[in-house]
Amino acid sequence: MISSINSINNSVKFSANEEGYTHDTLLKNTPATRLRIGADKLINALTVYPAKGLKGSKNANFYEFLTMGTVPYLVGSGTLMAVFNLANKYYSPFARTKASAVGNRLALGVLFYGIMKSVSKSFISKPIKMMTGIDIEQPYAKVVYELPDNINDTDITSIEHHKVFESVEFPRWDLHYTDQYGEKNRNSYYDNIAKRLGMGKNLKDSDQEVKPRIKEIVIKASVAKSISSYLWAATGVAFAFQKPWEKYLRTMTFKFWKKREFLKSLETFKDSFAESAVKLYKGEGKKISRHAGKVLIGAALLSSIAGVMNAVHSSHKPEKAKMSDVIKKDKEYIKA
């Protein structure tokens, strides 16, 4: 989490271990955890990481650089959402109405693009977890021991949030050995996965048996997420540009202290949402254009289903060997 930035001898001391982790720790993949991690990354990207980079800190790393990529993405999205509306006051009343309609639709499109691109990843990961027990989005907190910036810095650590399977070549297998849960069988996680995958029970080395299958599933799931997320994002944009949204955009308000207007806005949002969904599915125009919405929804849905099925299907299931395949009765052999 974000820690304080203190000035010591005209230099900056960074510490980001307010949660008190002493070692890399597996985290529960819950909405609350994901929200906390997202907020932590965003605030760090706006405050701690830029300060470290500008200062030329030797502890600035590639993780922090990638995390800061969120900032230009949000700034760019906000600019795109505001580009029409900010210039409205310079237009004539008629042109202002047209520009506002386009600007609001564009803002809604950007919003639904981001939402669907993010949410759609769970369309792959959740079914895979239900079918195999493998959570390809499992987060963990990594403790990073930093170099001191000056002689007064001691025990400097920071926390990075990663996913167990974010590296296909070097997954954090060690985090799934269950010593941390106080269980006698440290392979219990891999025993469970082997059982769920139909690889057998009470395997001598279940972790070694299961790891290749997990890697295969993670690779296939990653490809499926990349394809399906963009199709769902495109569906979100098409959904945002349906005409029924105009009714909501005219009454939209976030002033919750004005109870009547706010409740009316929520009611209109619900109606516009339902009507836009129907409009997208049924389509408008003639021939091909009339079925464009169905095709887009179908392609997105099919990409998720096919992605899940392909991920859980093994391309190298071991076959059960028969005794006759091992010992040939017509051949000589030596008794031990």
Side-chain angles (χ1 to χ4, degrees):
M1 293 293 291
I2 298 182
S3 62
S4 57
I5 306 177
N6 300 317
S7 177
I8 301 178
N9 295 333
N10 296 323
S11 66
V12 181
K13 175 181 178 180
F14 298 94
S15 175
N17 193 3
E18 290 184 354
E19 295 186 25
Y21 294 115
T22 57
H23 58 276
D24 295 357
T25 306
L26 204 62
L27 303 176
K28 292 182 179 180
N29 190 7
T30 63
T33 300
R34 292 193 295 272
L35 182 63
R36 178 172 56 81
I37 291 174
D40 177 71
K41 283 186 171 183
L42 178 58
I43 298 173
N44 275 328
L46 292 168
T47 56
V48 177
Y49 299 159
K52 290 176 70 173
L54 291 171
K55 174 181 176 290
S57 171
K58 51 181 168 287
N59 293 307
N61 57 33
F62 193 57
Y63 168 83
E64 296 174 359
F65 171 75
L66 291 179
T67 302
M68 285 191 291
T70 307
V71 178
Y73 175 82
L74 292 176
V75 171
S77 297
T79 302
L80 187 61
M81 293 167 70
V83 67
F84 281 86
N85 295 327
L86 289 177
N88 277 355
K89 60 183 180 180
Y90 301 109
Y91 300 154
S92 65
F94 178 76
R96 187 181 305 133
T97 302
K98 294 296 184 182
S100 294
V102 174
N104 289 333
R105 291 276 195 90
L106 194 60
L108 205 59
V110 171
L111 183 63
F112 278 122
Y113 175 91
I115 291 174
M116 292 306 298
K117 193 171 185 296
S118 178
V119 171
S120 63
K121 293 178 181 179
S122 65
F123 299 165
I124 302 292
S125 60
K126 292 296 183 184
I128 288 176
K129 184 179 180 181
M130 291 173 62
M131 297 169 72
T132 67
I134 302 168
D135 187 355
I136 60 176
E137 300 288 340
Q138 181 76 61
Y140 75 95
K142 179 180 180 180
V143 178
V144 178
Y145 295 93
E146 299 186 334
L147 297 171
D149 285 324
N150 60 66
I151 196 171
N152 296 314
D153 292 345
T154 59
D155 191 27
I156 304 173
T157 60
S158 65
I159 297 298
E160 296 179 359
H161 290 104
H162 295 271
K163 295 178 182 177
V164 173
F165 300 114
E166 69 182 13
S167 171
V168 177
E169 294 300 323
F170 303 101
R172 289 299 305 271
W173 302 117
D174 57 301
L175 295 175
H176 277 304
Y177 288 107
T178 51
D179 291 345
Q180 59 183 312
Y181 301 125
E183 299 181 23
K184 293 181 180 179
N185 181 12
R186 67 192 304 265
N187 270 11
S188 61
Y189 170 80
Y190 298 103
D191 289 341
N192 178 60
I193 299 300
K195 181 180 177 181
R196 297 283 293 273
L197 294 176
M199 299 178 69
K201 302 178 182 179
N202 302 319
L203 299 177
K204 184 178 180 181
D205 296 303
S206 60
D207 54 341
Q208 300 306 314
E209 296 283 347
V210 165
K211 285 176 181 178
R213 280 288 288 120
I214 294 178
K215 289 181 71 172
E216 180 186 11
I217 289 171
V218 171
I219 292 170
K220 290 179 176 180
S222 297
V223 173
K225 283 192 300 181
S226 297
I227 297 172
S228 67
S229 64
Y230 283 104
L231 286 171
W232 282 113
T235 304
V237 174
F239 178 59
F241 273 80
Q242 298 305 304
K243 195 169 184 179
W245 282 114
E246 292 181 0
K247 184 167 57 176
Y248 167 69
L249 293 172
R250 286 194 297 267
T251 62
M252 178 180 63
T253 180
F254 298 105
K255 298 177 180 178
F256 58 88
W257 55 89
K258 294 183 178 180
K259 187 175 181 181
R260 179 177 294 180
E261 290 84 351
F262 184 68
L263 291 177
K264 178 65 177 177
S265 177
L266 291 179
E267 184 69 23
T268 307
F269 175 84
K270 184 182 70 174
D271 294 340
S272 297
F273 188 96
E275 292 172 15
S276 294
V278 173
K279 201 80 171 176
L280 175 62
Y281 181 77
K282 289 186 174 180
E284 294 180 332
K286 298 179 180 179
K287 297 181 180 180
I288 297 177
S289 61
R290 185 175 181 82
H291 302 287
K294 295 185 184 71
V295 172
L296 186 56
I297 295 171
L301 188 61
L302 183 62
S303 68
S304 294
I305 296 173
V308 171
M309 298 309 296
N310 181 57
V312 299
H313 176 265
S314 176
S315 60
H316 51 76
K317 284 187 177 179
E319 297 182 359
K320 294 182 178 179
K322 298 178 181 179
M323 186 62 70
S324 60
D325 296 330
V326 179
I327 300 178
K328 302 295 184 180
K329 292 182 179 180
D330 58 339
K331 300 292 182 179
E332 294 182 357
Y333 61 94
I334 300 174
K335 292 184 177 179

